[in-house]
Amino acid sequence: MDKQPVICKDLGVIDYQSAWDYQENLLQENVSIKTVARKATPPLTPGETDTKHYFLFCEHTPVYTLGKSGLMEHVLLSDEQLKQQGIEFYKTNRGGDITFHGLQQIVGYPILDLEKFYTDIGKYLRNLDEVIIRTIAEYGLVGDRSEGETGVWLDPHIPGKERKICAIGVRCSRWITMHGFALNVNTDLNYFNHIIPCGIQHKQVTSIQKETGRSIDYDTVKEQIKKHFEDVFGVKMV
């Protein structure tokens, strides 16, 4: 059986709003296609619709984003301080709390029609975790999940040593996904000092660079993510 194609696009360094708008446009195009398909007589099955899957890579200029369940008090800087430091801020429509996006952090935004895979958001999130777990294993890092918390962690079950290496937060409309993950590669972790990351007190944030003690080739990590995404989701990047 042929693997489903996923259109892979590298947006490079892009501001958060532009990437968000682009995702929304792709999501709404797919939702419109599904709406038309469901009005067909007889109704088309999900596999018969011509929705398209996308995977967007990008790096963001410095920005804090707050998810739907997030609290403003988890941002520790005032509006004026954010402006002085050149950091943008957005309230978003994804799940999760507060996080940071910046240079040398790989942000991945899958726009998938889950009805062509499975209608299970929990499974989708676990599969995103698995992509990152397999990717950081290439650097000798053992990623894991932390019960009740999203993202990929190192040593999540050892009190005082828990550290998050990848944040994950998604939105799903008519089973079309958007938003995604942010993996710290050579990210400047000082930006996380000005927020309570993901609203979780007393836990650290880390990066592949910090854990390995060396600068990591950013483009190589992207290629590894693509490979593992294809394997975990059983798709073909095009």
Side-chain angles (χ1 to χ4, degrees):
M1 184 176 179
D2 291 339
K3 293 183 177 179
Q4 296 188 60
V6 176
I7 300 166
C8 185
K9 297 191 176 188
D10 193 331
L11 307 181
V13 178
I14 186 172
D15 67 277
Y16 187 79
Q17 185 67 62
S18 295
W20 187 4
D21 290 343
Y22 188 36
Q23 291 181 76
E24 285 281 5
N25 287 338
L26 295 177
L27 180 145
Q28 292 304 329
E29 284 177 10
N30 274 338
V31 167
S32 296
I33 289 167
K34 294 179 82 166
T35 299
V36 170
R38 283 178 175 166
K39 291 180 179 178
T41 305
L44 302 181
T45 65
E48 293 177 307
T49 66
D50 56 354
T51 52
K52 294 182 174 65
H53 305 303
Y54 298 89
F55 189 105
L56 310 179
F57 274 118
C58 67
E59 279 178 271
H60 286 310
T61 47
V63 59
Y64 294 127
T65 68
L66 187 69
K68 291 185 296 183
S69 60
L71 301 176
M72 281 299 299
E73 50 262 41
H74 294 159
V75 185
L76 306 180
L77 296 177
S78 66
D79 290 345
E80 183 61 31
Q81 288 172 318
L82 288 169
K83 186 176 180 181
Q84 288 173 354
Q85 297 195 33
I87 307 171
E88 293 187 293
F89 172 79
Y90 288 94
K91 290 183 179 179
T92 78
N93 57 357
R94 63 164 171 79
D97 204 287
I98 186 80
T99 196
F100 167 76
H101 298 308
L103 301 180
Q104 289 294 296
Q105 178 194 70
I106 295 177
V107 177
Y109 293 134
I111 317 293
L112 305 181
D113 181 356
L114 289 186
E115 283 194 302
K116 291 183 174 180
F117 295 92
Y118 42 73
T119 50
D120 185 335
I121 291 296
K123 182 175 180 178
Y124 174 62
L125 289 170
R126 290 191 299 274
N127 280 343
L128 287 183
D129 291 342
E130 185 63 24
V131 171
I132 301 303
I133 288 169
R134 294 186 187 190
T135 299
I136 65 175
E138 308 255 11
Y139 299 90
L141 304 179
V142 181
D144 202 351
R145 300 170 179 87
S146 180
E147 187 175 351
E149 298 169 336
T150 61
V152 175
W153 296 76
L154 304 182
D155 296 324
H157 309 300
I158 304 177
K161 290 191 175 182
E162 317 98 317
R163 50 213 191 276
K164 193 172 198 174
I165 197 165
C166 181
I168 293 178
V170 304
R171 176 191 172 210
C172 189
S173 176
R174 295 285 293 273
W175 295 109
I176 306 294
T177 67
M178 65 176 288
H179 298 297
F181 64 83
L183 173 63
N184 297 324
V185 181
N186 303 305
T187 317
D188 182 352
L189 299 177
N190 290 316
Y191 283 100
F192 289 97
N193 295 333
H194 305 307
I195 60 174
I196 300 174
C198 303
I200 302 169
Q201 297 265 19
H202 312 307
K203 292 188 179 180
Q204 305 172 60
V205 175
T206 191
S207 67
I208 301 177
Q209 180 186 42
K210 182 176 180 180
E211 295 296 323
T212 61
R214 60 187 174 89
S215 182
I216 302 298
D217 186 87
Y218 185 86
D219 289 330
T220 298
V221 183
K222 283 195 290 190
E223 290 304 311
Q224 291 163 339
I225 289 173
K226 286 168 65 175
K227 177 187 71 173
H228 293 303
F229 191 91
E230 286 181 324
D231 290 344
V232 170
F233 284 88
V235 297
K236 179 65 178 176
M237 294 280 197
V238 297

